[in-house]
PDB file of all heavy atoms in Angstrom:
ATOM      1  N   THR A  89      97.209-242.451 104.093  1.00  0.00           N
ATOM      2  CA  THR A  89      96.508-243.599 104.673  1.00  0.00           C
ATOM      3  C   THR A  89      95.882-244.472 103.579  1.00  0.00           C
ATOM      4  O   THR A  89      95.210-245.451 103.876  1.00  0.00           O
ATOM      5  CB  THR A  89      95.437-243.146 105.685  1.00  0.00           C
ATOM      6  OG1 THR A  89      94.638-242.143 105.071  1.00  0.00           O
ATOM      7  CG2 THR A  89      96.075-242.559 106.936  1.00  0.00           C
ATOM      8  N   VAL A  90      96.143-244.122 102.338  1.00  0.00           N
ATOM      9  CA  VAL A  90      95.699-244.968 101.218  1.00  0.00           C
ATOM     10  C   VAL A  90      96.512-246.259 101.273  1.00  0.00           C
ATOM     11  O   VAL A  90      97.691-246.243 101.623  1.00  0.00           O
ATOM     12  CB  VAL A  90      95.937-244.219  99.880  1.00  0.00           C
ATOM     13  CG1 VAL A  90      95.775-245.135  98.682  1.00  0.00           C
ATOM     14  CG2 VAL A  90      95.003-243.024  99.782  1.00  0.00           C
ATOM     15  N   ARG A  91      95.861-247.376 100.944  1.00  0.00           N
ATOM     16  CA  ARG A  91      96.571-248.654 100.995  1.00  0.00           C
ATOM     17  C   ARG A  91      97.239-248.969  99.670  1.00  0.00           C
ATOM     18  O   ARG A  91      96.679-248.742  98.614  1.00  0.00           O
ATOM     19  CB  ARG A  91      95.613-249.790 101.358  1.00  0.00           C
ATOM     20  CG  ARG A  91      95.319-249.832 102.840  1.00  0.00           C
ATOM     21  CD  ARG A  91      94.280-250.879 103.169  1.00  0.00           C
ATOM     22  NE  ARG A  91      93.902-250.770 104.561  1.00  0.00           N
ATOM     23  CZ  ARG A  91      94.498-251.462 105.542  1.00  0.00           C
ATOM     24  NH1 ARG A  91      95.443-252.329 105.271  1.00  0.00           N
ATOM     25  NH2 ARG A  91      94.126-251.290 106.786  1.00  0.00           N
ATOM     26  N   LEU A  92      98.440-249.506  99.781  1.00  0.00           N
ATOM     27  CA  LEU A  92      99.196-249.953  98.623  1.00  0.00           C
ATOM     28  C   LEU A  92      99.559-251.403  98.909  1.00  0.00           C
ATOM     29  O   LEU A  92     100.258-251.682  99.895  1.00  0.00           O
ATOM     30  CB  LEU A  92     100.440-249.065  98.474  1.00  0.00           C
ATOM     31  CG  LEU A  92     101.424-249.396  97.367  1.00  0.00           C
ATOM     32  CD1 LEU A  92     100.761-249.380  96.007  1.00  0.00           C
ATOM     33  CD2 LEU A  92     102.577-248.390  97.400  1.00  0.00           C
ATOM     34  N   ALA A  93      99.053-252.344  98.098  1.00  0.00           N
ATOM     35  CA  ALA A  93      99.213-253.779  98.374  1.00  0.00           C
ATOM     36  C   ALA A  93      98.883-254.060  99.849  1.00  0.00           C
ATOM     37  O   ALA A  93      99.649-254.720 100.564  1.00  0.00           O
ATOM     38  CB  ALA A  93     100.602-254.270  98.005  1.00  0.00           C
ATOM     39  N   ASN A  94      97.764-253.499 100.274  1.00  0.00           N
ATOM     40  CA  ASN A  94      97.195-253.737 101.605  1.00  0.00           C
ATOM     41  C   ASN A  94      97.920-253.093 102.795  1.00  0.00           C
ATOM     42  O   ASN A  94      97.547-253.333 103.940  1.00  0.00           O
ATOM     43  CB  ASN A  94      97.019-255.243 101.856  1.00  0.00           C
ATOM     44  CG  ASN A  94      95.702-255.505 102.561  1.00  0.00           C
ATOM     45  OD1 ASN A  94      94.738-254.751 102.376  1.00  0.00           O
ATOM     46  ND2 ASN A  94      95.672-256.530 103.387  1.00  0.00           N
ATOM     47  N   VAL A  95      98.957-252.310 102.537  1.00  0.00           N
ATOM     48  CA  VAL A  95      99.663-251.631 103.628  1.00  0.00           C
ATOM     49  C   VAL A  95      99.551-250.126 103.382  1.00  0.00           C
ATOM     50  O   VAL A  95      99.772-249.666 102.256  1.00  0.00           O
ATOM     51  CB  VAL A  95     101.156-252.045 103.679  1.00  0.00           C
ATOM     52  CG1 VAL A  95     101.888-251.316 104.801  1.00  0.00           C
ATOM     53  CG2 VAL A  95     101.287-253.555 103.834  1.00  0.00           C
ATOM     54  N   GLU A  96      99.195-249.376 104.436  1.00  0.00           N
ATOM     55  CA  GLU A  96      99.053-247.923 104.266  1.00  0.00           C
ATOM     56  C   GLU A  96     100.399-247.319 103.846  1.00  0.00           C
ATOM     57  O   GLU A  96     101.457-247.757 104.303  1.00  0.00           O
ATOM     58  CB  GLU A  96      98.518-247.282 105.553  1.00  0.00           C
ATOM     59  CG  GLU A  96      97.057-247.681 105.786  1.00  0.00           C
ATOM     60  CD  GLU A  96      96.399-246.966 106.956  1.00  0.00           C
ATOM     61  OE1 GLU A  96      97.006-246.046 107.534  1.00  0.00           O
ATOM     62  OE2 GLU A  96      95.260-247.342 107.287  1.00  0.00           O
ATOM     63  N   LEU A  97     100.292-246.313 103.005  1.00  0.00           N
ATOM     64  CA  LEU A  97     101.481-245.683 102.413  1.00  0.00           C
ATOM     65  C   LEU A  97     102.544-245.325 103.461  1.00  0.00           C
ATOM     66  O   LEU A  97     103.711-245.683 103.322  1.00  0.00           O
ATOM     67  CB  LEU A  97     101.024-244.410 101.705  1.00  0.00           C
ATOM     68  CG  LEU A  97     101.533-244.179 100.290  1.00  0.00           C
ATOM     69  CD1 LEU A  97     101.096-245.282  99.365  1.00  0.00           C
ATOM     70  CD2 LEU A  97     101.026-242.843  99.772  1.00  0.00           C
ATOM     71  N   TRP A  98     102.141-244.608 104.505  1.00  0.00           N
ATOM     72  CA  TRP A  98     103.095-244.119 105.512  1.00  0.00           C
ATOM     73  C   TRP A  98     103.768-245.287 106.222  1.00  0.00           C
ATOM     74  O   TRP A  98     104.950-245.224 106.572  1.00  0.00           O
ATOM     75  CB  TRP A  98     102.385-243.232 106.540  1.00  0.00           C
ATOM     76  CG  TRP A  98     101.442-243.980 107.424  1.00  0.00           C
ATOM     77  CD1 TRP A  98     100.165-244.340 107.118  1.00  0.00           C
ATOM     78  CD2 TRP A  98     101.721-244.505 108.727  1.00  0.00           C
ATOM     79  NE1 TRP A  98      99.624-245.053 108.148  1.00  0.00           N
ATOM     80  CE2 TRP A  98     100.547-245.159 109.148  1.00  0.00           C
ATOM     81  CE3 TRP A  98     102.828-244.467 109.561  1.00  0.00           C
ATOM     82  CZ2 TRP A  98     100.465-245.795 110.388  1.00  0.00           C
ATOM     83  CZ3 TRP A  98     102.743-245.091 110.795  1.00  0.00           C
ATOM     84  CH2 TRP A  98     101.572-245.749 111.198  1.00  0.00           C
ATOM     85  N   GLN A  99     103.019-246.386 106.431  1.00  0.00           N
ATOM     86  CA  GLN A  99     103.545-247.540 107.152  1.00  0.00           C
ATOM     87  C   GLN A  99     104.702-248.192 106.388  1.00  0.00           C
ATOM     88  O   GLN A  99     105.645-248.726 106.989  1.00  0.00           O
ATOM     89  CB  GLN A  99     102.410-248.557 107.367  1.00  0.00           C
ATOM     90  CG  GLN A  99     102.803-249.770 108.192  1.00  0.00           C
ATOM     91  CD  GLN A  99     103.004-249.448 109.666  1.00  0.00           C
ATOM     92  OE1 GLN A  99     102.145-248.834 110.274  1.00  0.00           O
ATOM     93  NE2 GLN A  99     104.141-249.843 110.216  1.00  0.00           N
ATOM     94  N   ARG A 100     104.661-248.135 105.066  1.00  0.00           N
ATOM     95  CA  ARG A 100     105.719-248.750 104.254  1.00  0.00           C
ATOM     96  C   ARG A 100     107.079-248.123 104.557  1.00  0.00           C
ATOM     97  O   ARG A 100     108.088-248.822 104.668  1.00  0.00           O
ATOM     98  CB  ARG A 100     105.394-248.630 102.762  1.00  0.00           C
ATOM     99  CG  ARG A 100     104.253-249.532 102.371  1.00  0.00           C
ATOM    100  CD  ARG A 100     104.050-249.626 100.873  1.00  0.00           C
ATOM    101  NE  ARG A 100     103.146-250.723 100.618  1.00  0.00           N
ATOM    102  CZ  ARG A 100     103.532-251.992 100.451  1.00  0.00           C
ATOM    103  NH1 ARG A 100     104.818-252.298 100.456  1.00  0.00           N
ATOM    104  NH2 ARG A 100     102.646-252.937 100.278  1.00  0.00           N
ATOM    105  N   SER A 101     107.099-246.787 104.699  1.00  0.00           N
ATOM    106  CA  SER A 101     108.375-246.124 105.002  1.00  0.00           C
ATOM    107  C   SER A 101     108.830-246.475 106.416  1.00  0.00           C
ATOM    108  O   SER A 101     110.017-246.734 106.644  1.00  0.00           O
ATOM    109  CB  SER A 101     108.229-244.608 104.868  1.00  0.00           C
ATOM    110  OG  SER A 101     107.990-244.272 103.523  1.00  0.00           O
ATOM    111  N   VAL A 102     107.888-246.498 107.363  1.00  0.00           N
ATOM    112  CA  VAL A 102     108.248-246.868 108.742  1.00  0.00           C
ATOM    113  C   VAL A 102     108.863-248.269 108.743  1.00  0.00           C
ATOM    114  O   VAL A 102     109.925-248.493 109.333  1.00  0.00           O
ATOM    115  CB  VAL A 102     107.015-246.806 109.673  1.00  0.00           C
ATOM    116  CG1 VAL A 102     107.344-247.389 111.040  1.00  0.00           C
ATOM    117  CG2 VAL A 102     106.519-245.371 109.814  1.00  0.00           C
ATOM    118  N   ASP A 103     108.231-249.208 108.050  1.00  0.00           N
ATOM    119  CA  ASP A 103     108.733-250.581 108.001  1.00  0.00           C
ATOM    120  C   ASP A 103     110.165-250.637 107.453  1.00  0.00           C
ATOM    121  O   ASP A 103     111.002-251.389 107.960  1.00  0.00           O
ATOM    122  CB  ASP A 103     107.826-251.461 107.130  1.00  0.00           C
ATOM    123  CG  ASP A 103     106.444-251.681 107.745  1.00  0.00           C
ATOM    124  OD1 ASP A 103     106.265-251.325 108.936  1.00  0.00           O
ATOM    125  OD2 ASP A 103     105.542-252.185 107.038  1.00  0.00           O
ATOM    126  N   ALA A 104     110.436-249.837 106.419  1.00  0.00           N
ATOM    127  CA  ALA A 104     111.775-249.847 105.813  1.00  0.00           C
ATOM    128  C   ALA A 104     112.824-249.337 106.812  1.00  0.00           C
ATOM    129  O   ALA A 104     113.910-249.917 106.942  1.00  0.00           O
ATOM    130  CB  ALA A 104     111.792-248.993 104.547  1.00  0.00           C
TER     131      ALA A 104
END
Side-chain angles (χ1 to χ4, degrees):
T89 50
V90 168
R91 281 175 187 268
L92 177 58
N94 221 30
V95 179
E96 290 187 7
L97 228 61
W98 69 278
Q99 184 72 51
R100 289 190 168 272
S101 294
V102 171
D103 292 349

